[in-house]
Amino acid sequence: MSLVSFCLVREELARTCPNAELIFTMQGLGAGPIIVAGNEEQKQKYLPPVASGKSIITFALTEPSGGTDAASILSQAKREGDHYLLNGSKTFISMAPDADVYAVFAKTDPSKGSKGITGFIVEKGFPGFVPGERLDLIAAHPIGSIYFEDCSIPVANRLGEEGEGFKIAMQTLDFFRTTVGACAVGMAQAALEESLKYAKQRLAFGQPIAKFQLIQAKVADMAMKISAARLLVFQAAFLRDGGKKNITAESSMAKLYATEIAQQVIDQAVQVHGGYGVCKGYLVEKLYREIRALRIYEGTSEIQHLVIANQLLRD
Ligand code: CAA
């Protein structure tokens, strides 16, 4: 799928059905490392069941010791003949521990930092794979921990060569960070539409609140920010689909700006709704809880600033 198509689908699903959006996206993120670096055999074996929904796949990079400093992961895989033995743990893994397949990143040479990381395709049935606990978030999202205790992974399940794992993970995130921006735009758009509807119906001081200029200023500001965010998202997507190899900065800008403004837009939507905005059962209340994680996952807003600056200084 082109990045533009992926963003269009993600924005529209986020606007209309966040649960469908979650399923669509998580299958994509989990499959990402196989699409980026898998060989033909791995693609044939693992991708069709993911596309048809028979197999749930996920992306497993983050560890209890930290998510932002991805190069410092502690999980280690040691080669023993035609297998690797993997030890360590992963947490904040979407769809875990229920997912069937995991794109796991672990150190094969701890002395080499980010260049000592290797990617693996791990099935939950592999010996030594231990399902962990589920985490309870402020907004419904299936997420949890997994453990590896001498987990035996065939060499055939290694993604690319040893040491290529960090780049595979980062390339996957370059693609998906743009789409996180698209998701944020969709959620903000839903909040705007709900606010417009509510402002036209809700009466105060004898007229719909939409007649008041302070409400008008809010919705104008919301629409303007959403449009700007959407343009950043599709700029990154068009550049990548047009053949630009490195969209790291554009992707981070799209994610950073769209998730930050979506938080502001949804907050304003709650304000337009007054007391009802914080009542369970109102869409804006749900969006208010759901948007928060987007400024954290797949790289915090703070890390996106650093990624953008690194690219600018490098160039
Ligand atoms: N594409 C290709 N290569 C890349 C790259 C990219 N986007 N980014 C970095 N690299 C390469 C660099 O070029 C470098 O290689 P060379 O030395 O050969 O040039 C190597 O990788 C190391 O790069 P850095 O020195 O920049 O690495 P760093 O250790 O300083 O880390 C970082 C950079 C930006 C902080 C990175 O660790 C990062 O993005 N952290 C955030 C991780 C993250 O997003 N975690 C979320 C996990 S997923 C999730 O949240 C989903 C869920 O399910 C909840």
Side-chain angles (χ1 to χ4, degrees):
M1 195 180 248
S2 72
L3 185 48
V4 167
S5 305
F6 206 106
C7 288
L8 285 170
V9 173
R10 212 171 160 186
E11 179 185 335
E12 192 57 12
L13 288 178
R15 189 179 73 83
T16 53
C17 183
N19 288 345
E21 195 280 322
L22 171 78
I23 294 162
F24 171 75
T25 301
M26 291 323 303
Q27 292 290 73
L29 180 62
I34 302 179
I35 295 166
V36 166
N39 58 36
E40 253 337 282
E41 208 177 307
Q42 291 168 340
K43 287 180 181 170
Q44 287 310 321
K45 181 171 178 190
Y46 289 103
L47 297 182
V50 168
S52 66
K54 290 198 175 89
S55 166
I56 303 290
I57 192 164
T58 194
F59 183 85
L61 174 66
T62 301
E63 302 195 350
S65 55
T68 292
D69 186 4
S72 73
I73 54 172
L74 299 173
S75 293
Q76 278 192 39
K78 282 205 179 102
R79 188 163 174 170
E80 304 265 338
D82 58 357
H83 278 70
Y84 284 88
L85 288 183
L86 172 63
N87 282 286
S89 61
K90 299 281 174 187
T91 193
F92 286 113
I93 307 304
S94 293
M95 316 308 277
D98 302 308
D100 304 296
V101 183
Y102 298 76
V104 174
F105 297 89
K107 291 259 170 80
T108 41
D109 186 345
S111 68
K112 288 191 180 156
S114 67
K115 289 186 175 51
I117 295 174
T118 304
F120 298 95
I121 307 169
V122 179
E123 296 178 24
K124 81 170 167 195
F126 283 176
F129 176 96
V130 183
E133 59 283 3
R134 285 196 184 81
L135 301 168
D136 199 9
L137 306 189
I138 56 171
H141 182 101
I143 195 162
S145 305
I146 48 173
Y147 301 91
F148 308 106
E149 293 172 3
D150 277 340
C151 180
S152 178
I153 307 166
V155 170
N157 278 35
R158 189 184 66 213
L159 283 166
E161 297 300 324
E162 280 191 15
E164 290 180 356
F166 191 75
K167 286 194 179 176
I168 296 169
M170 291 300 131
Q171 282 167 357
T172 304
L173 289 174
D174 278 349
F175 184 94
F176 277 90
R177 281 176 180 158
T178 313
T179 78
V180 178
C183 175
V185 168
M187 289 166 76
Q189 181 69 32
L192 171 63
E193 288 169 13
E194 205 67 4
S195 299
L196 293 172
K197 202 165 66 184
Y198 185 81
K200 285 194 245 177
Q201 289 165 358
R202 176 71 174 171
L203 301 177
F205 304 101
Q207 57 181 342
I209 61 170
K211 296 272 187 200
F212 294 113
Q213 288 185 333
L214 284 178
I215 297 292
Q216 292 174 6
K218 279 193 202 306
V219 294
D221 203 43
M222 290 157 87
M224 176 183 70
K225 286 176 173 160
I226 295 169
S227 292
R230 189 179 282 119
L231 287 171
L232 274 182
V233 166
F234 284 99
Q235 169 182 260
F238 273 113
L239 286 173
R240 190 222 178 241
D241 291 348
K244 188 167 192 279
K245 289 221 159 34
N246 180 345
I247 59 152
T248 302
E250 290 86 352
S251 182
S252 284
M253 284 184 204
K255 185 200 184 259
L256 171 60
Y257 186 75
T259 57
E260 289 290 332
I261 69 92
Q263 178 92 54
Q264 296 164 17
V265 165
I266 293 168
D267 184 69
Q268 288 303 300
V270 170
Q271 206 66 16
V272 169
H273 281 73
Y276 293 112
V278 288
C279 286
K280 288 245 156 86
Y282 278 76
L283 179 66
V284 293
E285 182 274 337
K286 183 166 175 275
L287 289 169
Y288 187 75
R289 284 181 292 108
E290 280 182 345
I291 193 62
R292 190 61 186 87
L294 275 70
R295 288 167 57 211
I296 298 172
Y297 70 59
E298 292 184 39
T300 60
S301 292
E302 289 73 13
I303 222 64
Q304 305 310 332
H305 280 100
L306 299 187
V307 170
I308 296 163
N310 280 344
Q311 290 294 314
L312 293 171
L313 294 167
R314 190 174 300 181
D315 290 350

